[in-house]
Structure formats: structure tokens, C-alpha cells
């Protein structure tokens, strides 16, 4: 053991090991043998054990930490993590280009736009934070505004540099990318499970999601996840996206090598054609090509629409098709009572997933496609969507196939099923049907709702059957003892579940609203509704979350259809659904009992308000008339993305009126009240100036 100074030796070993990690996991060009690595690792471990004061955060020995207790803390993204618009086929890519050129004011004779083409990695979006050179945190995308802190788990991913190779620009750096499980790692994981006689995972992406949220970082460490980074947040004095990728690379981040900077959309289309097949040889799943305008100034100029940038799009590879056998059709009853026929097929691999079931939507669809039990069928899976049965292979019929009929009664409770033409859906009308109840409760406790880890179908079914749980509030009355009495639940798991339930008492308002299962209210509408409530009901000094939650419940009970249709993102049908839901005495009791059981909504901090932070934080704007380059909803999206509130009527509380052509009564009202009036240009400046 050469240098005598332990501190110097430890630093040397750390540098050697971090460098070896980078060469192996990022550059794919290892320079030292596994044995040399192991020896150096062991020496560092021993040194640190003898001199605990020498342990640093970025030491490779610190990648695996202790198991997390009680879930993952929420992280608000300072800059929201957006999604991308889609383009299917070459024509839609050309349309994208046309929109970009129009947005940049470029005519047909002007030079083509410079784009960067990247592979779209089919994993999980993450956001990495560095302070100085030091890695400090990683969060999942979550709903785009709020994600989860999964640092302890992702610290085990060796492709993530714990310390950067150079000083980054600025003292804080945020980098986004995708964590994924290489095909090889996925296959060997499933082989291992098979040997142990345990159920297999269906695809790498979901396995990645599960792995990222493991309680014990040791498990994550054993799964061999990897990362590609593809976005630097903020310009940092650079002028193009390609420069930012080069910078990421020199800082030590893994940047996918298959990136191409091209002139014009035809070259983009060439890139997509080249990769349609070539992607199958990669050691990771891709589901498309991401196309980004290279010049950051042009990105700024194009801005965004809704939750997606106008300067980028995701080209989706054509859906993969395979044939298999339709073995049986079974009916599933969902939380709204809808009876959905589901196809059980001979397991087959398509688009990286082993498919056993596929939705058939409804009986009309089965008739239209003339699908029969026993048929050989064409199955397709495009990207993330549920696999679909496309057609039957008529030539393969031998006469043994049978025509399927929708059962006349609910398969769960036996109640006569109803189908009201022209509705295509057959429903179980019994609101007390256990299937509906279980479906509703699972929706409430599931990922988009209160997110109670470990409360799956099998456990919920027992809880409902044993009448331990009849409604959401009952979940919060369960303790470890009650849970231990259930089948398949060992002591330790019962404790964990009790803990998970306890942790779920406090959740973002949008999650609670989504979990309630209000007709027509999905995750996005729940976010919009929560944002509105946060603006309507600012929290007061000393107010508890339970008190605030009570005020929220009252406010929803009193909300009118007119008022709700004025909320961004909510139309008439949705508003009526909300009013009906909260007007119902049963709902009021449910909410009351939830609050009594200790459930409360996270009151967004004043000013934060469950929405993006930005130049318009705390400002209320109204859009009226026809703007030359933006539709009303685009302008409202822009307001929200900049942190502002887009209101529907002008009042003394309005900060700005954005007025276009034919602005009528709102304009005169604004003038009366002395509200500042902006045209589109002034509005754009207001948003862009400070971002
Ligand atoms: S750029 C605003 N680049 O695709 C820019 N995304 O549908 C947003 N993704 O949430 C992301 N590979 O999870 C970008 N090379 C790539 C990507 C990529 C995969 C994912 C990412 C994002 C989703 C957008």
C-alpha cells in the first residue's frame, strides 16, 4: 500500500474507481480489469472503515445506502418536466417542420431548420441535480410538476457520475435523462426469477419503474440499471442543443452516441428510417426518435403549447405486430361498472413485452372485427399503449372457433347487465357490486391517487370480502394487527403496509382529487382543479392542513358549473360531473370521514400553488379576442406554464388583459378598472423576458 497518508491514498483510489466506472458504464471502454477494480474497491472500503472521517459523498463505496423508511419525499421541479407531442409517419414530421418554420417566420426560400435527432429511450424520465461538481439529488418526473426523490436508489446506478469531471457552469446544474434497464439485464433478471419459480416481469420499462422505487437500494444496485442524459436545464451561455450535449459529455455524463445533427426535415426522416430496424440490435428499448430544434434561441422563440415544447416532437416507430391465438374472452368489471371484454392469448413477445391479455373494448368491436374464440389473431402494441387485437387471420380458421356473446349478467354480482343504446358499453348497474367497490378503492389507493405501496388487488379483495374496508376512510383505520390476519401477508409486509398507509395520509391535493374517481376527472383535470383551488383558497397563518382540506371540500360543494367552466382545462361535461359529484350527500360523508380519519391535502405553499413557478407567479391574466399567433387555450397554457393564473373574467384582481382582435366587453371592463392591456407581442415579451 503505497502512499502512507491515508487521506491521499483514499482520494487516489476514489479517483481511480470513479474513472473506471465512467470508462465502463458511460464510455463502454473499460481500461482496468474487474479484478483490479475489486481490489481497489476493497482497499478503499478498508481504508474508510479504519478512518471513517475519510468517507466522502462521492466515494464509490457510498453508492449503496440503507433502506428507505416511509416512502419517497416529493420534489417540486423548478422547471416543469414537459412531455412531447407525437408524430406518426413522415407526413406528420413534415407537418411538424412546417409549424416550426412558420413559428420562426421562415419561408420556403429560407434555409432549412437545423434539427438534432436522438433515440427516444423507453425508460423513466429523471432529473439529476449537482451542486458544484457534486451529485446531490435525483427525482422522477412524476406528474411533471412534482416527482419523487429517489436519490438513495439511483446513487447505485454506476452510469451516474457522483462527481463531475470539470467545474460545471454555475454552482447548480440540473440535467435530465432517462433511466432504463438494458435488455441483457432484464433477460438475466427474468432467468433468475424463473429459476426461483417466481413470477416474471413483462417488460424492461415497468421493471425499471419498480426498481427505481424499491425500498432497499441493495435491490436497485443488483438490477444493473443505466442512464442516458439528453437535456441540460438552462442555456448556461450556450447557443445550441448540440453544444449542451457535448458539454454533458465532457462533464462525465452518459450521452447516447447515436445523435445526429441534420439540416431540414428530409434528413430527419432518413434518420427515422435508418433506425426503424437498426434499433432492434441495441441493448436497450427505444420507442421512437426525438427531434429537437438545435438553436436555443429558436427554441425560445417557438416556446411551448400546453405541456409540450413546440421546438421538439417524438416520432413514434410503427407499432409492432405479431400473431398468436385467442384462447378465451373474459369480462372485467371496472370501477364505473363498465364490463370490458378482455382477450386471453397465448403469451407472445411484442415490442419488448410479453403479452398475455389484450383489451377488446366492447362487443361492437368484437363483432366488427369478427373475432372468435380459438382464432389466430394479429396483435399489436404501439409504444406504451395497451396491446390491441387488430384482426383475425381468416385463412387459419378450421371451423372449431366459437362466436362469443356478452354475458347478460354481471359476472361478479350477478345483477342483470344494462346497455343503453347508443352507448357501446355494457354496465353492471349495481353500485354495491364488489367489483365496482374494489375498482374504486384500488383507484383511490393506486399510483395516481394516494399511492399506498403494497395495497394491490389481492389484498384489497380480502379487505373488502372481510368487510374491513367498505369505503376509502376505512383504509386508514387498518393497523398492522388487522392486516396480519390476511392471507399472503407476513408480519413484516403487514408492518410495511401499515406504515405505507400511515404515510399516505398526507398527499398533494391533485392526487386526492384524482383518487376520488370523479366522473371525467383524470390526472390532468385533477391538477387543474387543484391549481384553481389553491389560488381560490390561499392558506392562512396557523391554519392546519386538515382545516384547509375542510375549506377545500366546502368550496367544491359550493362550486357552480359556470364557475368551473371558467377554470383552465375544464369544459361543460367535466364541470357538470364535478358539481354532481360534490353535490351528492354520499360524497360529502365520504370526504368528511376521510378528514376525520386524518387524511389531509398538502396545502401548496402560498405562491407555489401547485403550478409552475415563473415570471407570472402570483399574477392573474385574462385572454380575450383573437390573437394573431396563439389560440386562447395556447395563451392560457403559456400563462400557467409561466406560473400565472388564467382567469375567465376581468375583475379588480386581474393584473393583465391579453387582448386580440374583436376584444369586446372584457376590454372595456379592463379599461374601466385600469387593468393593463397587452397585445400578443407585449404578452410574449412578458413571458420570455424573465425566463
Ligand atoms: S427530451 C422537453 N429526449 O420521452 C423535452 N426525451 O414524451 C422533453 N425521452 O418524458 C424530453 N428519450 O421520458 C427527450 N432523447 C430524449 C428522450 C426523451 C426518451 C422520454 C422522456 C420524456 C418523454 C417525452
Amino acid at each position: 500500500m503505497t502512499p502512507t497518508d491515508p487521506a491521499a491514498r483514499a482520494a487516489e483510489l476514489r479517483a481511480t474507481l470513479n474513472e473506471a466506472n465512467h470508462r465502463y458504464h458511460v464510455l463502454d471502454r473499460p481500461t482496468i480489469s474487474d479484478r483490479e477494480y475489486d481490489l481497489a474497491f476493497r482497499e478503499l472500503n478498508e481504508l474508510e472503515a479504519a478512518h471513517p472521517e475519510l468517507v466522502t459523498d462521492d466515494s464509490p463505496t457510498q453508492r449503496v445506502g440503507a433502506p428507505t423508511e416511509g416512502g419517497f419525499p416529493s420534489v417540486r421541479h423548478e422547471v416543469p418536466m414537459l412531455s412531447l407531442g407525437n408524430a406518426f409517419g413522415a407526413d406528420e414530421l413534415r407537418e411538424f417542420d412546417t409549424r416550426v418554420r412558420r413559428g420562426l417566420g421562415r419561408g420556403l426560400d429560407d434555409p432549412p431548420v437545423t434539427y438534432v435527432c436522438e433515440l427516444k429511450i423507453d425508460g423513466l424520465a429523471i432529473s439529476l441535480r449537482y451542486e458544484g461538481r457534486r451529485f446531490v439529488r435525483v427525482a422522477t418526473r412524476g406528474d411533471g410538476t412534482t416527482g419523487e426523490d429517489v436519490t438513495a436508489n439511483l446513487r447505485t446506478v454506476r452510469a451516474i457520475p457522483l462527481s463531475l469531471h470539470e467545474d460545471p457552469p454555475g454552482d447548480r446544474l440540473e440535467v435530465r435523462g432517462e433511466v432504463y434497464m438494458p435488455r441483457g439485464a432484464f433477460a438475466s433478471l427474468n432467468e433468475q426469477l424463473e429459476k426461483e419459480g417466481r413470477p416474471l416481469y413483462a417488460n424492461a420499462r415497468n421493471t425499471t419503474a419498480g426498481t427505481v422505487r424499491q425500498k432497499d437500494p441493495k435491490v436497485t444496485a443488483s438490477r444493473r440499471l443505466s442512464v442516458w442524459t439528453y437535456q441540460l436545464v438552462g442555456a448556461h451561455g450556450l447557443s445550441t442543443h448540440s453544444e449542451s450535449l457535448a458539454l454533458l459529455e465532457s462533464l462525465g455524463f452518459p450521452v447516447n452516441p447515436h445523435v445526429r445533427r441534420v439540416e431540414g426535415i428530409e434528413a430527419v426522416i432518413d434518420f427515422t428510417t435508418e433506425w426503424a430496424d437498426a434499433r432492434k440490435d441495441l441493448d436497450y428499448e427505444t420507442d421512437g426518435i426525438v427531434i429537437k430544434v438545435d438553436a436555443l434561441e429558436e427554441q425560445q422563440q417557438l416556446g411551448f403549447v400546453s405541456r409540450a415544447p413546440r421546438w421538439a416532437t417524438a416520432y413514434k416507430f410503427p407499432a409492432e405486430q405479431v400473431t398468436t391465438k385467442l384462447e378465451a374472452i373474459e369480462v372485467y368489471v371496472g370501477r364505473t361498472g363498465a364490463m370490458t371484454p378482455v382477450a386471453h392469448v397465448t403469451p407472445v413477445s411484442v415490442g419488448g413485452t410479453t403479452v398475455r391479455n389484450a383489451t377488446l373494448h366492447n362487443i361492437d368491436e368484437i363483432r366488427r372485427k369478427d373475432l372468435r374464440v380459438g382464432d389466430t389473431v394479429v396483435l399489436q402494441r404501439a409504444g406504451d399503449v395497451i396491446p390491441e387485437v387488430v384482426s383475425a387471420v381468416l385463412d387459419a380458421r378450421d371451423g372449431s372457433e366459437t362466436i362469443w356473446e356478452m354475458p347478460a349478467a354481471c359476472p361478479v354480482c350477478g345483477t342483470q347487465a344494462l346497455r343503453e343504446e347508443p352507448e357501446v358499453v355494457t354496465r353492471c348497474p349495481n353500485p354495491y357490486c364488489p367489483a365496482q367497490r374494489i375498482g374504486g378503492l384500488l383507484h383511490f389507493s393506486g399510483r395516481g391517487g394516494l399511492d399506498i405501496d403494497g395495497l394491490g388487488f389481492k389484498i384489497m379483495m380480502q379487505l373488502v370480502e372481510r368487510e374491513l374496508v367498505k369505503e376509502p376512510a376505512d383504509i386508514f383505520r387498518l393497523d398492522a394487527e388487522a392486516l396480519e390476519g390476511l392471507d399472503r401477508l407476513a408480519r413484516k409486509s403487514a408492518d410495511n403496509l401499515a406504515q405505507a398507509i400511515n404515510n399516505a395520509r398526507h398527499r398533494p391535493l391533485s392526487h386526492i382529487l384524482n383518487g376520488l374517481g370523479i366522473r371525467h376527472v383524470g390526472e390532468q383535470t385533477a391538477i387543474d382543479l387543484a391549481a384553481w383551488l389553491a389560488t381560490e383558497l390561499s392558506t392562512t397563518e396557523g391554519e392546519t392542513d386538515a382545516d384547509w382540506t375542510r375549506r377545500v371540500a366546502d368550496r367544491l360543494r359550493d362550486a357552480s358549473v359556470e364557475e368551473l367552466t371558467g377554470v383552465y382545462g375544464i369544459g361543460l361535461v367535466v364541470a357538470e360531473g364535478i358539481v354532481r359529484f360534490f353535490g351528492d350527500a354520499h360524497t360529502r360523508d365520504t370526504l368528511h370521514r376521510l378528514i376525520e380519519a386524518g387524511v389531509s391535502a398538502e396545502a401548496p405553499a402560498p405562491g407555489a400553488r401547485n403550478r409552475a413557478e415563473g415570471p407570472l407567479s402570483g399574477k392573474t391574466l385574462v385572454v380575450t379576442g383573437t390573437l394573431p399567433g396563439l389560440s386562447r387555450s395556447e395563451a392560457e397554457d403559456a400563462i400557467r406554464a409561466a406560473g400565472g393564473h388564467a382567469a375567465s373574467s376581468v375583475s379588480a384582481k386581474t393584473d393583465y388583459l391579453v387582448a386580440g382582435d374583436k376584444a369586446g366587453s372584457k376590454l372595456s371592463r379592463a379599461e374601466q378598472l385600469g387593468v393593463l392591456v397587452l397585445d400578443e407581442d407585449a404578452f410574449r415579451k412578458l413571458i420570455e423576458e424573465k425566463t
Side-chain angles (χ1 to χ4, degrees):
M1 239 152 284
T2 24
T4 38
D5 176 11
R9 179 63 183 155
E12 189 181 342
L13 288 165
R14 274 199 302 273
T16 309
L17 289 163
N18 279 336
E19 164 81 5
N21 262 326
H22 180 251
R23 288 188 180 273
Y24 187 96
H25 294 281
V26 176
L27 304 179
D28 201 14
R29 280 199 311 265
T31 39
I32 67 172
S33 70
D34 288 0
R35 185 169 155 72
E36 282 169 295
Y37 184 92
D38 291 343
L39 284 177
F41 194 90
R42 194 186 309 162
E43 187 188 339
L44 181 59
N45 234 339
E46 283 165 5
L47 207 54
E48 288 177 345
H51 306 272
E53 73 283 0
L54 295 181
V55 181
T56 58
D57 275 2
D58 69 348
S59 171
T61 59
Q62 301 304 300
R63 285 202 182 255
V64 186
T68 34
E69 292 293 333
F72 304 94
S74 317
V75 172
R76 277 186 59 85
H77 300 298
E78 275 165 34
V79 178
M81 290 181 78
L82 304 176
S83 53
L84 291 175
N86 288 329
F88 294 92
D91 285 343
E92 292 192 14
L93 281 174
R94 293 190 185 101
E95 285 164 21
F96 165 73
D97 180 54
T98 308
R99 288 195 300 275
V100 168
R101 297 171 67 95
R102 197 185 305 134
L104 297 175
R106 292 211 202 173
L108 284 174
D109 298 332
D110 291 322
V113 179
T114 305
Y115 292 108
V116 174
C117 309
E118 295 168 15
L119 299 179
K120 186 166 184 297
I121 312 299
D122 196 8
L124 216 69
I126 50 168
S127 179
L128 301 157
R129 160 95 69 92
Y130 288 77
E131 281 168 13
R133 290 191 182 192
R134 215 163 48 89
F135 166 67
V136 292
R137 189 182 76 192
V138 51
T140 59
R141 174 175 188 275
D143 62 11
T145 314
T146 312
E148 289 179 318
D149 184 331
V150 290
T151 312
N153 281 336
L154 288 203
R155 187 182 270 286
T156 68
V157 175
R158 306 247 204 123
I160 297 180
L162 296 179
S163 88
L164 300 179
H165 292 186
E166 302 168 3
D167 285 334
D171 18 311
R172 282 209 331 198
L173 192 74
E174 192 175 336
V175 171
R176 292 181 178 168
E178 202 87 352
V179 54
Y180 66 94
M181 182 174 278
R183 284 189 180 148
F186 176 69
S188 50
L189 173 64
N190 262 350
E191 267 165 39
Q192 180 67 28
L193 291 171
E194 187 154 30
K195 259 192 232 145
E196 294 166 11
R198 289 162 52 195
L200 307 189
Y201 287 106
N203 66 58
R205 184 178 193 278
N206 293 353
T207 316
T208 305
T211 304
V212 164
R213 302 185 78 257
Q214 283 290 329
K215 288 213 168 57
D216 188 352
K218 274 207 209 71
V219 177
T220 314
S222 73
R223 296 274 177 89
R224 294 174 22 217
L225 297 180
S226 197
V227 165
W228 292 121
T229 55
Y230 47 64
Q231 197 193 358
L232 175 64
V233 178
H236 299 288
L238 303 174
S239 59
T240 61
H241 175 65
S242 18
E243 283 168 20
S244 68
L245 292 181
L247 174 64
L248 289 179
E249 222 173 308
S250 54
L251 291 172
F253 289 102
V255 176
N256 190 286
H258 308 296
V259 176
R260 191 183 298 165
R261 186 163 169 269
V262 300
E263 306 290 326
I265 201 69
E266 295 308 319
V268 168
I269 295 169
D270 291 345
F271 188 84
T272 61
T273 340
E274 283 169 40
W275 280 101
D277 267 331
R279 71 193 183 102
K280 294 179 182 142
D281 299 329
L282 296 167
D283 187 35
Y284 40 87
E285 305 281 349
T286 52
D287 58 346
I289 303 288
V290 180
I291 297 110
K292 305 174 182 173
V293 169
D294 193 31
L296 299 183
E297 205 185 318
E298 291 179 348
Q299 291 190 359
Q300 274 272 1
Q301 209 177 331
L302 289 159
F304 39 80
V305 51
S306 192
R307 277 139 198 106
R310 248 199 270 246
W311 46 262
T313 194
Y315 167 84
K316 293 295 182 85
F317 291 123
E320 210 180 308
Q321 296 194 336
V322 294
T323 58
T324 183
K325 190 172 165 192
L326 177 55
E327 293 180 348
I329 299 177
E330 211 181 355
V331 167
Y332 280 86
V333 186
R335 73 186 155 93
T336 61
M339 291 169 48
T340 310
V342 171
H344 295 296
V345 299
T346 311
V348 57
S349 170
V350 45
T353 295
T354 306
V355 173
R356 295 181 173 81
N357 308 312
T359 175
L360 293 170
H361 303 289
N362 53 58
I363 186 73
D364 289 5
E365 180 102 353
I366 297 176
R367 289 281 172 276
R368 196 170 52 76
K369 294 179 177 167
D370 185 24
L371 303 176
R372 304 185 187 178
V373 176
D375 266 339
T376 298
V377 291
V378 177
L379 196 84
Q380 129 176 333
R381 177 179 171 268
D384 239 6
V385 299
I386 306 168
E388 192 184 18
V389 177
V390 184
S391 60
V393 183
L394 299 181
D395 287 346
R397 281 192 181 157
D398 63 8
S400 66
E401 299 77 16
T402 53
I403 292 180
W404 185 82
E405 297 291 350
M406 196 77 180
C410 169
V412 178
C413 70
T415 305
Q416 179 77 32
L418 286 184
R419 175 178 171 185
E420 281 164 30
E421 308 265 359
E423 249 213 283
V424 289
V425 186
T426 309
R427 283 179 203 282
C428 163
N430 171 15
Y432 303 102
C433 172
Q436 287 192 43
R437 174 159 292 170
I438 292 173
L441 286 163
L442 283 172
H443 180 74
F444 177 78
S445 65
R447 288 277 349 240
L450 274 71
D451 195 9
I452 305 176
D453 234 13
L455 189 48
F457 178 79
K458 294 208 169 101
I459 291 173
M460 190 67 91
M461 200 170 72
Q462 292 184 60
L463 291 169
V464 171
E465 273 173 357
R466 297 180 190 204
E467 301 197 348
L468 287 167
V469 171
K470 291 204 183 87
E471 58 152 7
D474 297 335
I475 297 173
F476 295 93
R477 302 207 182 84
L478 297 166
D479 52 21
E481 215 172 305
L483 293 167
E484 238 177 273
L486 303 178
D487 298 342
R488 310 172 53 103
L489 211 60
R491 172 81 210 241
K492 181 91 181 84
S493 324
D495 284 348
N496 286 345
L497 181 51
Q499 186 65 47
I501 291 174
N502 201 28
N503 293 337
R505 283 207 158 83
H506 203 49
R507 286 287 188 242
L509 179 57
S510 59
H511 289 223
I512 298 180
L513 290 172
N514 183 42
L516 291 173
I518 308 161
R519 214 49 191 299
H520 309 298
V521 174
E523 273 178 59
Q524 191 54 60
T525 310
I527 292 172
D528 294 336
L529 197 55
W532 172 67
L533 286 159
T535 327
E536 286 283 304
L537 306 171
S538 43
T539 51
T540 50
E541 276 281 317
E543 185 179 38
T544 64
D545 284 328
D547 289 341
W548 189 73
T549 311
R550 255 183 221 107
R551 284 208 288 138
V552 167
D554 291 346
R555 187 70 186 81
L556 283 165
R557 183 197 55 211
D558 297 338
S560 66
V561 169
E562 293 69 42
E563 212 173 6
L564 289 168
T565 46
V567 174
Y568 162 84
I570 296 183
L572 186 61
V573 177
V574 180
E576 284 173 350
I578 297 171
V579 167
R580 201 174 315 122
F581 184 85
F582 288 101
D584 186 58
H586 179 72
T587 302
R588 290 209 285 268
D589 291 345
T590 308
L591 292 179
H592 175 73
R593 283 193 292 262
L594 270 175
I595 297 171
E596 290 302 296
V599 174
S600 63
E602 261 164 46
R609 303 288 154 76
N610 220 13
R611 62 177 64 228
E613 285 288 351
L616 295 182
S617 292
K619 300 276 185 237
T620 298
L621 289 85
V622 175
V623 183
T624 189
T626 317
L627 301 172
L630 284 172
S631 73
R632 185 177 129 184
S633 67
E634 285 175 356
E636 290 181 344
D637 280 335
I639 292 171
R640 284 165 41 82
H645 173 51
S648 56
S649 60
V650 178
S651 74
K653 284 198 248 166
T654 312
D655 294 291
Y656 301 100
L657 178 74
V658 183
D661 244 16
K662 303 209 183 78
S665 60
K666 287 182 189 167
L667 181 57
S668 27
R669 177 133 177 84
E671 282 163 352
Q672 271 168 19
L673 291 168
V675 170
L676 282 170
V677 179
L678 308 174
D679 65 6
E680 182 178 327
D681 274 350
F683 171 60
R684 282 184 185 270
K685 284 212 187 79
L686 185 68
I687 301 176
E688 276 152 24
E689 210 166 65
K690 310 182 207 160
T691 29

